[in-house]
């Protein structure tokens, strides 16, 4: 038995090694193509992308638009096929942010007006409600966990008051939330509306009360989201206000329980016919932005209908007028100018190669990564090629910096070494993807592939923090190349003169060969690993 297993192991190793040696063989079309990727080329690209004139490439911004046009200009010059909307290189979308209209807000409880900013504040949910009050516990619903904050309470036509000492009720974590919103789980505003409530009052927990001003600012200006252009998304939830603990103590005076002084958070009808009147209003801001998408068709008449997607986010965090020192522009040379220009270099090299991989190759630059992976989320929701035909995603996010042997700065302790890179996700979903990723590297330059973060239990959660995640949650095997954080991460010092371009050349060429090998596989990489809950509960 052991002998048979040894033979099988040697056979598999030989097959994988042979495949890698084919793509890395001296004189192969792939190896010839890599010579177009050079440190000088990458440096020229990056000094443009990370120039002060781009103003940090915030999403959305004029600087980001200039970077998008620069990428598209080069793709057109090299003959890369447009793969965005309507025959263009751009996949356009709205960046949407709702902002509370604080001037229009008003709240009364039993005829007594509350003082805005002191007694309460509103969020971006719009509407007006005047109705009796009912206490709804935590307000959360989770079918599988048996959590029902509104159990036994009639909330129809009423304003629901809820309280939760933490973000989630006891016994639940964010990893528990899979399935369909409204059927398998619901947050308090959604659940209240589902049950027929007309308004929501949230009692400040201890953390909110101690950070009242910051919590107010956060709620008044909601996080950004994305929409299709010309997509009028109506709906929303019930009008919502947040009250201070002082206001809550007054509100619960004479009731059977006060959630601020008891651990019993079961819902109940409030006494005395207490009535609240709420007016909340949200203004919607929509600004257009874009992903940039190009494609080079595969050489095989059948396999060219399948795609390898190479992605990088070309946005960064913009400017900070309050930053210390004279430099207020966060250039983002490493994050993720390095990935942006690596994909550009790969696109130029493949475009100029007479021979192509069998599968089609997509080059994708996404916006809004720094705002919550918005651009890649949008591409996954509205792909410009069939999502089911995308066989692998290769994501590059920060490959320009490394820790030199004499660097003892503790702020750089998490950087990869001079000849190394952190490789994340290669072994998480697909054995084939892992084998190809590592065998190509070994047969080529044999750089140090550090798997420290290739683990769903990684406390940094790097696998879930870059754009490959939006492919992975849709069943596409993904691998992520990353040099780790450093002293200039999300700071004004992330400049192009600090990039190791020779190392970037090595990495970009290795990733290019990996892409080519995946493009030539007879069969697409299968998802054959036990996946973390975040990739299955969707």
């Amino acid at each position: 038995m052991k002998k048979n297993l040894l033979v099988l192991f040697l056979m598999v190793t030989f097959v994988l090694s042979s495949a890698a040696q084919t793509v890395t063989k001296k004189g192969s079309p792939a190896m010839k193509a890599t010579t177009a990727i050079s440190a000088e080329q990458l440096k020229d690209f990056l000094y443009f992308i990370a120039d002060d004139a781009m103003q940090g490439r915030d999403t959305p911004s004029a600087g980001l638009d200039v970077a998008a046009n620069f990428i598209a200009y080069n793709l057109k010059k090299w003959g890369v096929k447009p793969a965005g909307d309507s025959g263009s290189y751009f996949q356009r979308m709205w960046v949407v942010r709702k902002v509370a209209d604080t001037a229009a807000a008003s709240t009364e409880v039993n005829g007594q007006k509350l003082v805005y900013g002191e007694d309460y504040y509103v969020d971006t949910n719009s509407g007006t409600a005047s109705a009796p009050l009912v206490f709804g516990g935590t307000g959360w619903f989770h079918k599988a966990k048996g959590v029902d904050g509104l159990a036994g309470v009639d909330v129809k036509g009423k304003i629901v008051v809820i309280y939760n000492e933490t973000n989630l009720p006891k016994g639940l974590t964010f990893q528990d939330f899979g399935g369909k919103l409204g059927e398998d789980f619901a947050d308090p505003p959604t659940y209240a509306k589902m049950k027929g409530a007309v308004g929501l009052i949230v009692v400040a927990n201890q953390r909110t009360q101690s950070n009242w001003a910051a919590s107010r600012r956060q709620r008044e200006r909601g996080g950004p989201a994305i929409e299709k252009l010309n997509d009028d998304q109506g709906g929303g939830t019930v009008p919502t206000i947040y009250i201070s603990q002082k206001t809550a103590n007054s509100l619960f005076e004479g009731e059977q329980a006060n959630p601020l002084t008891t651990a019993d958070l079961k819902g109940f009808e409030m006494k005395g016919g207490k009535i609240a009147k709420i007016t909340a209003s949200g203004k919607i801001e929509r600004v257009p932005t874009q992903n940039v998408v190009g494609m080079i068709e595969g050489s095989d008449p059948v396999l060219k209908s399948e795609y390898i997607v190479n992605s990088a986010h070309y946005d960064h965090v913009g400017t900070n007028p309050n930053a210390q020192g004279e430099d207020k522009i966060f250039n983002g040379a490493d994050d993720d100018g390095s990935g942006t220009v690596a994909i550009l270099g790969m696109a130029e090299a493949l475009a100029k190669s007479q021979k192509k991989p069998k599968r089609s190759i997509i080059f994708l630059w996404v916006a809004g990564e720094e705002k919550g992976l918005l651009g890649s989320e949008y591409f996954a929701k509205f792909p410009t090629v069939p999502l089911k035909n995308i066989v692998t995603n290769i994501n590059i996010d920060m490959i320009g910096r490394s820790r030199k042997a004499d660097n003892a700065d503790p702020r750089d302790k998490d950087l990869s070494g001079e000849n190394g890179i952190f490789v994340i996700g290669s072994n998480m979903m697909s054995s084939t993807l892992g084998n190809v990723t590592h065998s190509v590297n070994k047969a080529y330059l044999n750089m140090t592939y550090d798997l420290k973060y290739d683990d769903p239990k990684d406390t940094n959660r790097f696998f879930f923090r870059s754009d490959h995640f939006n492919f992975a949650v849709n069943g596409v095997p993904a691998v992520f190349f990353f040099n780790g954080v450093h002293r200039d991460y999300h700071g004004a010092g992330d400049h192009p003169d600090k990039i190791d371009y020779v190392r970037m050349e090595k990495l970009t060429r290795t990733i290019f060969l990996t892409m080519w090998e995946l493009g030539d596989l007879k069969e697409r990489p299968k998802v054959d690993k036990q996946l973390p809950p975040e990739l299955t509960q969707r």
Side-chain angles (χ1 to χ4, degrees):
M1 181 66 175
K2 291 183 179 179
K3 183 178 179 180
N4 290 339
L5 287 174
L6 177 60
V7 171
L8 179 61
F9 172 78
L10 291 173
M11 288 176 62
V12 171
T13 303
F14 174 76
V15 170
L16 291 172
S17 177
S18 297
Q21 287 175 5
T22 299
V23 78
T24 58
K25 186 178 180 181
K26 186 176 181 180
S28 72
M31 286 290 286
K32 288 180 179 179
T34 61
T35 60
I37 300 170
S38 69
E40 183 180 359
Q41 166 212 43
L42 298 172
K43 184 176 182 179
D44 286 345
F45 289 152
L46 189 52
Y47 265 84
F48 183 92
I49 290 293
D51 190 87
D52 279 356
M54 302 301 160
Q55 292 289 295
R57 307 187 311 278
D58 196 11
T59 302
S61 69
L64 189 71
D65 294 343
V66 171
N69 281 295
F70 173 77
I71 295 168
Y73 167 80
N74 281 291
L75 296 180
K76 183 176 181 180
K77 181 174 67 173
W78 302 326
V80 177
K81 182 179 179 181
D85 299 328
S86 305
S88 76
Y89 291 105
F90 302 121
Q91 185 187 34
R92 300 191 183 276
M93 57 194 168
W94 291 117
V95 177
V96 183
R97 189 186 290 272
K98 290 179 69 176
V99 181
D101 186 354
T102 59
S106 66
T107 296
E108 293 182 13
V109 177
N110 286 339
Q112 181 179 353
K113 285 190 175 183
L114 302 186
V115 178
Y116 190 87
E118 180 179 337
D119 298 326
Y120 81 103
Y121 55 80
V122 298
D123 67 8
T124 60
N125 291 328
S126 299
T128 299
S130 179
L133 297 175
V134 60
F135 181 61
T138 67
W140 284 88
F141 168 72
H142 194 287
K143 185 176 181 181
K145 294 289 185 177
V147 174
D148 188 346
L150 303 182
V153 183
D154 180 13
V155 303
K156 189 173 183 179
K158 299 175 183 177
I159 295 173
V160 181
V161 184
I162 66 167
Y163 176 78
N164 187 19
E165 181 56 36
T166 58
N167 285 331
L168 292 174
K170 187 176 181 180
L172 282 181
T173 68
F174 283 106
Q175 281 69 39
D176 293 322
F177 287 89
K180 293 184 178 180
L181 178 67
E183 293 183 16
D184 300 306
F185 69 93
D187 56 86
T190 302
Y191 196 39
K193 185 175 183 180
M194 286 171 54
K195 289 290 189 177
V198 296
L200 188 68
I201 296 176
V202 182
V203 177
N205 58 36
Q206 190 59 45
R207 185 178 62 184
T208 300
Q209 188 64 54
S210 62
N211 297 282
W212 181 258
S215 298
R216 171 186 165 185
R217 288 193 298 270
Q218 182 180 17
R219 291 292 182 179
E220 289 174 346
R221 187 168 181 84
I226 52 171
E227 291 179 4
K228 293 183 72 173
L229 291 183
N230 304 318
D231 187 13
D232 183 14
Q233 297 187 356
T237 57
V238 294
T240 303
I241 69 166
Y242 300 79
I243 62 173
S244 68
Q245 292 191 348
K246 179 182 177 181
T247 304
N249 280 324
S250 176
L251 179 64
F252 282 97
E253 186 175 351
E255 297 296 337
Q256 68 183 56
N258 183 338
L260 295 174
T261 59
T262 180
D264 186 2
L265 295 179
K266 292 182 180 179
F268 56 82
E269 300 285 344
M270 298 185 72
K271 300 175 182 177
K274 293 178 180 176
I275 294 176
K277 295 181 179 180
I278 297 172
T279 298
S281 180
K283 298 179 290 186
I284 297 179
E285 300 175 349
R286 283 187 174 92
V287 182
T289 192
Q290 62 282 310
N291 294 329
V292 187
V293 198
M295 180 178 68
I296 294 177
E297 286 191 349
S299 58
D300 186 275
V302 176
L303 291 180
K304 70 177 183 180
S305 63
E306 295 183 346
Y307 306 90
I308 309 295
V309 175
N310 304 283
S311 61
H313 72 91
Y314 73 108
D315 68 309
H316 194 52
V317 297
T319 61
N320 182 359
N322 298 316
Q324 294 182 350
E326 296 182 3
D327 193 352
K328 311 295 183 183
I329 301 173
F330 289 31
N331 301 96
D334 188 28
D335 183 17
D336 183 30
S338 61
T340 296
V341 303
I343 299 292
L344 260 179
M346 291 166 61
E348 181 178 11
L350 188 58
K352 293 180 177 180
S353 173
Q354 291 186 352
K355 293 193 175 182
K356 316 294 184 189
K358 294 177 181 179
R359 289 181 175 84
S360 295
I361 307 298
I362 288 179
F363 301 96
L364 171 64
W365 293 266
V366 294
E369 190 270 356
E370 302 288 3
K371 295 291 194 292
L373 313 185
L374 297 184
S376 56
E377 178 189 348
Y378 189 85
F379 185 85
K381 284 184 176 179
F382 309 106
T384 60
V385 297
L387 190 63
K388 65 180 181 180
N389 290 359
I390 298 175
V391 304
T392 309
N393 169 234
I394 299 174
N395 187 51
I396 308 177
D397 190 350
M398 299 174 62
I399 62 167
R401 300 278 284 266
S402 65
R403 181 172 44 81
K404 311 299 182 185
D406 60 351
N407 184 352
D409 193 318
R411 296 172 297 173
D412 291 337
K413 65 180 177 61
D414 294 322
L415 269 173
S416 53
E418 289 185 77
N419 195 50
I421 192 73
F422 295 114
V423 180
I424 304 173
S426 62
N427 295 315
M428 202 174 294
M429 297 181 68
S430 169
S431 300
T432 300
L433 177 58
N435 289 331
V436 169
T437 300
H438 298 284
S439 63
V440 168
N441 173 55
K442 287 184 180 298
Y444 182 47
L445 298 177
N446 197 23
M447 300 186 74
T448 302
Y449 275 11
D450 193 329
L451 303 182
K452 176 181 178 180
Y453 302 122
D454 195 7
D455 183 350
K457 296 179 182 178
D458 161 38
T459 56
N460 298 283
R461 294 182 63 77
F462 286 129
F463 180 80
F464 308 98
R465 289 170 53 183
S466 192
D467 294 296
H468 60 281
F469 179 70
N470 281 316
F471 290 91
V473 296
N474 286 284
V476 178
V479 59
F480 166 33
F481 293 87
F482 172 61
N483 57 217
V485 296
H486 46 73
R487 72 184 80 179
D488 296 317
Y489 176 66
H490 281 194
D494 189 2
H495 293 155
D497 61 336
K498 297 179 180 179
I499 299 298
D500 184 344
Y501 293 98
V502 173
R503 174 175 171 274
M504 261 191 73
E505 175 191 294
K506 294 177 182 178
L507 281 168
T508 306
R509 288 183 175 189
T510 304
I511 296 169
F512 179 85
L513 292 172
T514 304
M515 170 205 75
W516 196 303
E517 176 63 21
L518 290 165
D520 276 354
L521 289 178
K522 290 183 179 180
E523 295 184 2
R524 62 190 293 168
K526 294 179 181 179
V527 177
D528 57 5
K529 297 294 190 76
Q530 183 175 351
L531 303 178
E534 294 90 339
L535 300 186
T536 58
Q537 296 181 356
R538 292 271 164 168

